């Protein structure tokens, strides 16, 4: 901890991507969509002008970093010819499930990769179930069903294929019954499902035939969170951002391991808990109007601390002063300032 992490072979800089659900820009032709599901007995309500294209993949993006081991594990699970067919990537909101999904689509469909197109036919398709344009629960379910099967029908019919279903939440129309239905119809297909909670058992008829493999997506490590924070700032950092007594006219700080350690220990960044969405939002607060990172205390990020009976309210917890600070008579506030910025007490 404290050193720069090795560059992940699968990682790449890309933006914390927020998927846009069904939109006119990504809709497929209505004739093709209707033809893909014409044998489905369930009634399909009139859909809005938005419909998914089975050829749509997430847009390319910036500032994606880390997650190399997570990407590698997902590709190993999905690419095994006789491997499990239902993979569930789960984690809390803002942890980066949609971002890693976008990066996986970009990497896995590149020429020579496991799901690269074959003879013009896609072998990986992406669907986001987030759709706020339909308020009816029945309409939302029918729209999700139609979108999933339209995307699946557009994939190649020979060899292993993958359908990535993002935001597989009930409020967006997701039903466990979709899984056995689509897997029975497409024997060579595997599913990668992203959602907030794990999925241990598939409800509905035939759901017990498939064992979901649940993979939890954890927060970014401290140093990677600091890297993301630095990449998203709207201005350079100066010594005054970290040391109140520094000269205002000093040169900008250069990124290095020491700076990353100091940034990683900032109370406001610690309070983000490694969630990329919060780190990005916090970095957006660092503009030329902010005098110093020491003043970075947005109201939306303040949390009750886990104090040692002190009743302290702030970011993170309030640690006890270290032995050198105690022996030198350093005040608690000064000790917290020193160690909160990662400055060694000497």
């Amino acid at each position: 901890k404290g050193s720069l992490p090795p560059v992940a072979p699968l990682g790449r800089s890309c933006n914390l991507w927020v998927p846009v659900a069904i939109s006119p820009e990504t809709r497929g032709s209505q004739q093709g969509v209707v033809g893909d599901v014409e044998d489905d007995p369930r009634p399909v309500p009139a859909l809005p002008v938005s419909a998914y294209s089975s050829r749509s993949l997430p847009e390319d993006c910036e500032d994606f970093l880390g997650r190399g081991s997570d990407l590698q594990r997902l590709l190993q699970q999905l690419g095994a010819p006789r491997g499990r067919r239902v993979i569930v990537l789960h984690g809390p909101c803002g942890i980066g499930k949609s971002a890693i999904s976008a990066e996986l689509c970009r990497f896995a469909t590149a020429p020579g990769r496991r799901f690269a197109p074959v003879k013009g036919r896609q072998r990986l398709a992406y669907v986001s179930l987030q759709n706020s344009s339909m308020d009816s629960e029945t309409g939302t379910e029918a729209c999700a069903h139609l979108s999933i099967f339209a995307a699946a029908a557009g994939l190649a019919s020979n060899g292993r294929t993958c359908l990535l279903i993002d935001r597989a939440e009930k409020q967006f129309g997701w039903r466990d019954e979709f899984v056995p239905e689509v897997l029975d119809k497409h024997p060579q297909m595997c599913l990668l499902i992203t959602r907030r909670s794990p999925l241990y058992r598939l409800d509905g008829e035939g759901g017990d035939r498939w064992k979901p493999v649940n993979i939890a997506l954890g927060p970014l490590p401290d140093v990677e969170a600091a890297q993301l924070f630095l990449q998203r700032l709207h201005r350079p950092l100066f010594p005054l951002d970290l040391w109140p007594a520094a000269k205002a006219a000093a040169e900008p700080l250069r990124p290095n391991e020491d700076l990353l350690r100091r940034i990683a220990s900032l109370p406001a960044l610690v309070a983000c808990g490694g969630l990329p969405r919060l780190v990005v939002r916090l970095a957006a607060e660092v503009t030329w109007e902010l005098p110093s990172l020491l003043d970075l205390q947005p109201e939306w990020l303040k949390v009750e601390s886990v104090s040692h009976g002190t009743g302290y309210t702030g970011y993170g917890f309030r640690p006890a002063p270290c032995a050198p600070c105690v022996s030198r008579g350093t005040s608690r506030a000064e000790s917290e300032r020193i160690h909160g910025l990662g400055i060694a007490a000497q």
Side-chain angles (χ1 to χ4, degrees), residues 64-99:
F64 182 92
L65 53 83
R67 304 296 197 195
S69 59
D70 296 308
L71 283 167
Q72 186 68 44
R73 183 180 179 186
L74 287 171
L75 288 171
Q76 288 176 348
Q77 293 278 357
L78 296 170
R82 299 185 63 84
R84 297 289 182 183
R85 298 181 64 191
V86 183
I87 312 299
V88 180
L89 182 67
H90 63 91
C93 181
I95 200 70
K97 300 183 297 297
S98 295

Side-chain angles (χ1 to χ4, degrees), residues 16 94 222 225-235 237 262-288 290 292-303 315:
L16 184 63
D222 295 344
Q227 286 179 308
L228 178 60
F229 179 76
L230 287 176
Q231 290 180 12
R232 300 290 298 204
L233 298 179
H234 291 280
R235 66 167 175 82
L237 293 182
R262 297 173 190 270
I263 296 299
S265 298
L266 283 172
L269 190 60
V270 171
C272 291
L275 270 65
R277 181 176 298 176
L278 294 183
V279 174
V280 168
R281 185 178 177 186
L282 183 68
E285 304 271 350
V286 184
T287 65
W288 290 101
L290 184 73
S292 168
L293 289 185
L294 303 178
D295 301 314
L296 187 60
Q297 296 185 4
E299 291 296 326
W300 55 266
L301 192 57
K302 287 185 177 179
V303 294
Y315 298 108

Side-chain angles (χ1 to χ4, degrees), residues 176-196:
D176 292 354
E177 292 84 348
F178 296 163
V179 173
E181 189 177 356
V182 71
L183 293 183
D184 282 339
K185 192 170 184 179
H186 302 277
Q188 299 297 320
M189 179 180 293
C190 61
L191 299 178
L192 174 57
I193 301 168
T194 71
R195 52 187 286 134
R196 295 181 183 178

